[in-house]
Amino acid sequence: MTASTKNNSNTATTLYDKLWQSHLVEVSNSQAIEGETPLIYVDRHLIHEVTSPQAFANLKFHNRPVRHPERTIATMDHNTSTRSLEINAAGEGAANQLRTLAKNCQEFGIELFGIGHKNQGIVHVIGPELGLTLPGTVIVCGDSHTATHGAFGALAFGIGTSEVEHVFATQTLRQTKAKTMKIEVNGQVGAGISAKDIILAIIGVTGSAGATGYVVEYTGQAIRALSMEERMTVCNMSIEFGAKAGLIAPDETTFAYVKGREYAPKDELWQQAVNDWKALKSDKNAVFDAVVTLDAKNIKAQVTWGTTPGQVTAIDSKVPSPDDFKEAVEKESCQAALTYMGLTAGTQITDIEINKVFIGSCTNSRIEDLRAAAAVVEKYSTQGKKVSSKVDAIVVPGSYRVKTQAEQEGIDQVFINAGFEWRLPGCSMCLGMNDDVLTVGDRCASTSNRNFEGRQGRGSRTHLVSPEMAAAAAIEGHFVDLNAS
Amino acid sequence: MEKFTAHTGLVAPLDIANVDTDQIIPKQFLQKTTRTGFGQHLFHDSRYLDNAGTQENPDFLLNKPQYQDASILLTRENFGCGSSREHAPWALEEFGFKVIMAPSFADIFYGNCINIGLLPIKLPEQQINELFSYSQHSELTLLVDLTQNTIATITANNEKHVYTFSLDSFHQYCLEQGIDSVGWTLKKLDTIKAFEANMPAWQ
């Protein structure tokens, strides 16, 4: 990582600067105190059942309305059962939160996509697929993976419940401007390398807190070549190395994806929007506070071995040892991670056996993710191979629309015939708030975003991988180097 | 929000880096619709040997008799990383913590602390190391004075060290005055309306 020299005479700005400036609510001097944190305008507020109830309760306590219910969209995702459409199916606590969300949305006039609604799904899957996520907007949600929407050139980030309340009441947020980091992935990735591998490789370089205090912009040939769904996978995991938000400048790929979606601007408004969106890119001479460069051709399929996303390595390598690290903190973290993960330094990654597979989450549950995993499954099927008898594997589509699309394409049958369970949409085993939970000692190949201790269930062990890698692990019972076989 | 001016309290030294919000408050406790009831589940998986939370883990820091009244958490880098759940600072606050000290915090967690009046203090790693070493030998009490931006140590053998810390000036103002952030912004509604009047139609 290199810090560029700031040139005061340089008026070139980054994409983040432009988004910031266009959303800065200028408060006159007479209204503000010295050094007051700036207010920025929020265009879209996405909410779900877990982080909103206390915000609604405070609004009621103060007798305040939601200032712009039409800029707010609610879905049910974190707690929902993936086995049943029955609201009580995931337990009393979940049902209470889901009912509370429904009641609050009705009371405050907010559109809700509840269980069974055609638009229901993981908040970061439905925003883009409905055209609610637009370039040049500020999008917030009480969920740290809101950075996903940055794939469209929107400034999108996760907020706490006090901030959810602030957005409800004012449609603004108080924000300190972040530093900027450019992450350039040059050249082309090799065959079979996914967006998940790109972002895991980036986190492997920066470390789990390498971008704390920064908004990152992903650029370079390998990023530009990605589809929108792949870009979402990359931006989704920005928080996993501490970034406030992740951005990719919008281009023709973006416009083509957004056009015609249910909530996207239409006709003349569409033309105006695209004209505005075309200006959304960092100027050629824009100066970033930090720059990270990766060569795409060196990126291999990635597997996490530890308990932070930064503890990651290539599929053809070995589990590291504390001696491989320089810093004392890293050595200790490595040792603690090996103990928790039940791994021995020097073990080949491909020798690690797993007994659970989760394909889903806001990182990797979109139609392209499911197609990619299904393609691997189909390849094995032609050899007569199915999910290993030692493995339980579930596939959880990100939304009803994804589920329906996959079923129209026959993807559900590919999974079901190979021994995977095909479930209903939701956050599911990514965080295990419903009953999709691992138990002590379970080892899971997961397409989700966090391998923290206990994340998928107390005492369980998570290895983060791409959908393709998860599918292959389900069948072989261990990690597989798909490029070597 | 209650005003925060100064606090004197006992330090609990949690010598672990990258403590994530899943560890601070695991997901099974996020199903409440109230703002209270989280303190008893703070650090659940480390604090209790069983899932029901009835058997305390005697090895866990906060279960040790000498830290029962701790109100200042001293910890390591990247504290509060991961999920944006404000339930994490709520749990720390309800347990009795008023101040969290670390070399660095995750951004969302830091903001959440400020918003509920739990004071996050960033100190250089060297100073954090010093505080850890003081706390190892004997009980460490700190006097945190927000108005002066100072931290003074009071050790059992009466050693005194003073550190200074900085905070964003507006954060400091909000904490000291106990500002209702929403009420504060609502006073600027005319400015927000003027901004809205100039927004592009597609937005």
Side-chain angles (χ1 to χ4, degrees):
Chain A
M1 205 182 298
T2 53
S4 327
T5 327
K6 284 273 186 192
N7 180 354
N8 290 336
S9 63
N10 186 355
T11 53
T13 57
T14 65
L15 171 56
Y16 172 56
D17 294 328
K18 293 179 211 282
L19 292 168
W20 175 269
Q21 202 54 46
S22 66
H23 286 80
L24 193 59
V25 178
E26 297 280 6
V27 175
S28 74
N29 286 338
S30 61
Q31 287 177 309
I33 66 156
E34 199 184 331
E36 187 167 330
T37 313
L39 273 184
I40 63 163
Y41 196 77
V42 173
D43 300 300
R44 290 271 187 283
H45 188 193
L46 307 172
I47 65 168
H48 59 84
E49 72 273 18
V50 180
T51 56
S52 64
Q54 295 87 351
F56 279 118
N58 260 14
L59 281 187
K60 287 182 209 173
F61 177 79
H62 290 284
N63 200 20
R64 289 166 178 157
V66 171
R67 183 161 155 64
H68 280 296
E70 80 285 2
R71 292 186 177 276
T72 315
I73 287 279
T75 186
M76 295 177 175
D77 58 2
H78 280 62
N79 265 320
T80 56
S81 169
T82 60
R83 299 168 197 268
S84 162
L85 291 176
E86 166 57 44
I87 199 163
N88 294 308
E92 203 182 317
N96 181 42
Q97 266 191 343
L98 295 167
R99 287 203 180 90
T100 302
L101 179 67
K103 200 164 153 273
N104 282 327
C105 286
Q106 193 177 23
E107 200 173 327
F108 287 91
I110 294 167
E111 189 169 13
L112 166 69
F113 305 137
I115 294 174
H117 191 286
K118 69 177 170 53
N119 290 343
Q120 185 265 338
I122 305 175
V123 65
H124 310 308
V125 175
I126 66 161
E129 76 183 3
L130 293 174
L132 288 161
T133 302
L134 300 177
T137 56
V138 168
I139 302 173
V140 298
C141 172
D143 186 281
S144 61
H145 293 109
T146 308
T148 310
H149 309 265
F152 292 78
L155 178 58
F157 51 90
I159 57 176
T161 298
S162 295
E163 292 175 304
V164 170
E165 182 191 345
H166 194 279
V167 178
F168 277 156
T170 71
Q171 206 59 36
T172 66
L173 261 186
R174 248 168 231 294
Q175 285 291 305
T176 309
K177 198 170 179 199
K179 292 180 283 186
T180 54
M181 179 184 288
K182 176 162 79 169
I183 297 185
E184 202 166 16
V185 188
N186 294 317
Q188 285 175 293
V189 291
I193 299 303
S194 71
K196 185 66 163 286
D197 299 314
I198 296 176
I199 187 63
L200 284 172
I202 290 171
I203 301 170
V205 170
T206 62
S208 293
T212 301
Y214 290 88
V215 164
V216 301
E217 181 177 347
Y218 304 95
T219 67
Q221 190 190 349
I223 299 293
R224 290 258 73 88
L226 299 175
S227 71
M228 285 318 295
E229 300 203 346
E230 292 171 321
R231 292 178 190 187
M232 286 186 241
T233 299
V234 170
C235 288
N236 173 274
M237 290 190 73
S238 302
I239 185 73
E240 307 312 336
F241 57 118
K244 177 89 191 170
L247 293 170
I248 295 176
D251 57 14
E252 292 303 326
T253 305
T254 321
F255 310 147
Y257 177 96
V258 176
K259 194 173 183 182
R261 292 191 183 259
E262 196 171 327
Y263 288 80
K266 309 256 168 357
D267 308 321
E268 202 179 315
L269 277 186
W270 171 257
Q271 281 315 321
Q272 287 173 17
V274 171
N275 284 344
D276 288 352
W277 295 346
K278 282 181 175 167
L280 292 172
K281 51 188 164 195
S282 291
D283 297 331
K284 211 172 164 191
N285 300 324
V287 177
F288 291 81
D289 297 300
V291 178
V292 174
T293 308
L294 278 83
D295 194 343
K297 71 174 187 300
N298 295 336
I299 297 175
K300 294 180 179 171
Q302 303 283 307
V303 182
T304 64
W305 53 268
T307 53
T308 71
Q311 291 176 321
V312 64
T313 192
I315 180 70
D316 61 354
S317 61
K318 294 175 180 175
V319 174
S321 135
D323 298 337
D324 297 334
F325 298 91
K326 279 187 226 144
E327 304 279 333
V329 170
E330 283 181 298
K331 282 177 191 287
E332 282 167 31
S333 294
C334 174
Q335 187 53 59
L338 293 183
T339 305
Y340 181 83
M341 293 296 287
L343 291 172
T344 309
T347 305
Q348 282 288 343
I349 296 292
T350 47
D351 287 342
I352 299 173
E353 294 189 356
I354 53 99
N355 68 329
K356 303 280 171 177
V357 168
F358 169 58
I359 297 176
S361 87
C362 59
T363 315
N364 280 129
S365 65
R366 298 179 182 83
I367 190 68
E368 290 178 11
D369 298 313
L370 303 189
R371 284 180 193 145
V376 171
V377 174
E378 270 192 314
K379 225 178 244 181
Y380 277 107
S381 296
T382 58
Q383 302 162 25
K385 288 187 181 172
K386 296 185 174 208
V387 171
S388 160
S389 59
K390 293 179 286 186
V391 175
D392 298 318
I394 64 172
V395 183
V396 183
S399 69
Y400 264 95
R401 284 173 184 254
V402 172
K403 181 172 179 286
T404 307
Q405 171 86 31
E407 287 168 357
Q408 281 166 359
E409 295 180 20
I411 286 174
D412 59 327
Q413 291 307 313
V414 172
F415 285 121
I416 291 167
N417 291 338
F420 289 83
E421 286 181 49
W422 179 250
R423 298 284 191 87
L424 300 170
C427 299
S428 181
M429 200 182 276
C430 173
L431 82 167
M433 270 195 78
N434 63 0
D435 53 346
D436 299 332
V437 187
L438 299 178
T439 52
V440 178
D442 275 344
R443 188 180 294 282
C444 182
S446 180
T447 68
S448 55
N449 40 55
R450 289 196 175 125
N451 50 344
F452 297 157
E453 284 188 22
R455 169 83 176 176
Q456 295 187 297
R458 189 175 186 172
S460 67
R461 294 150 173 170
T462 304
H463 295 273
L464 303 177
V465 290
S466 69
E468 296 90 322
M469 294 276 286
I475 291 163
E476 300 270 17
H478 57 84
F479 293 112
V480 184
D481 187 348
L482 289 167
N483 276 352
S485 53
Chain B
M1 196 165 87
E2 275 179 43
K3 291 182 182 181
F4 191 122
T5 48
H7 174 74
T8 302
L10 179 69
V11 170
L14 184 71
D15 196 358
I16 308 172
N18 299 309
V19 173
D20 58 72
T21 51
D22 278 80
Q23 288 178 58
I24 298 172
I25 184 86
K27 70 269 179 172
Q28 65 268 35
F29 306 112
L30 303 185
Q31 290 183 332
K32 291 189 174 67
T33 54
T34 57
R35 219 166 166 134
T36 53
F38 299 103
Q40 58 181 309
H41 306 300
L42 177 72
F43 292 118
H44 179 275
D45 288 3
S46 321
R47 198 165 138 204
Y48 300 105
L49 297 169
D50 60 331
N51 287 338
T54 55
Q55 285 174 266
E56 284 193 352
N57 172 4
D59 296 332
F60 184 62
L61 183 86
L62 299 182
N63 290 333
K64 294 187 176 170
Q66 65 268 41
Y67 300 120
Q68 289 310 299
D69 297 323
S71 59
I72 299 176
L73 188 68
L74 174 66
T75 186
R76 295 293 186 182
E77 66 191 50
N78 198 27
F79 188 78
C81 59
S83 156
S84 61
R85 59 188 73 165
E86 197 166 300
H87 312 68
W90 292 341
L92 288 159
E93 185 195 40
E94 195 175 317
F95 183 86
F97 288 112
K98 305 277 185 210
V99 180
I100 319 284
M101 306 172 75
S104 59
F105 293 89
D107 289 337
I108 304 177
F109 176 84
Y110 186 89
N112 287 342
C113 287
I114 296 285
N115 286 334
I116 69 161
L118 176 63
L119 177 62
I121 298 179
K122 282 184 221 175
L123 286 182
E125 199 159 351
Q126 177 56 34
Q127 295 181 0
I128 291 288
N129 288 341
E130 284 170 22
L131 290 168
F132 266 104
S133 78
Y134 302 145
S135 69
Q136 257 170 10
H137 304 306
S138 63
E139 275 185 12
L140 175 63
T141 299
L142 294 178
L143 167 59
V144 177
D145 187 338
L146 182 59
T147 60
Q148 302 296 315
N149 287 38
T150 57
I151 300 158
T153 63
I154 305 163
T155 58
N157 55 6
N158 263 341
E159 266 182 77
K160 195 166 177 189
H161 306 268
V162 178
Y163 299 93
T164 57
F165 64 95
S166 63
L167 205 66
D168 171 271
S169 61
F170 188 66
H171 287 167
Q172 174 128 5
Y173 179 80
C174 290
L175 288 168
E176 285 182 18
Q177 303 296 319
I179 295 288
D180 159 27
S181 159
V182 174
W184 182 266
T185 303
L186 282 174
K187 286 192 269 182
K188 291 150 196 195
L189 215 48
D190 286 346
T191 313
I192 299 170
K193 284 181 183 164
F195 178 90
E196 286 171 336
N198 286 318
M199 280 166 63
W202 60 263
Q203 201 172 317

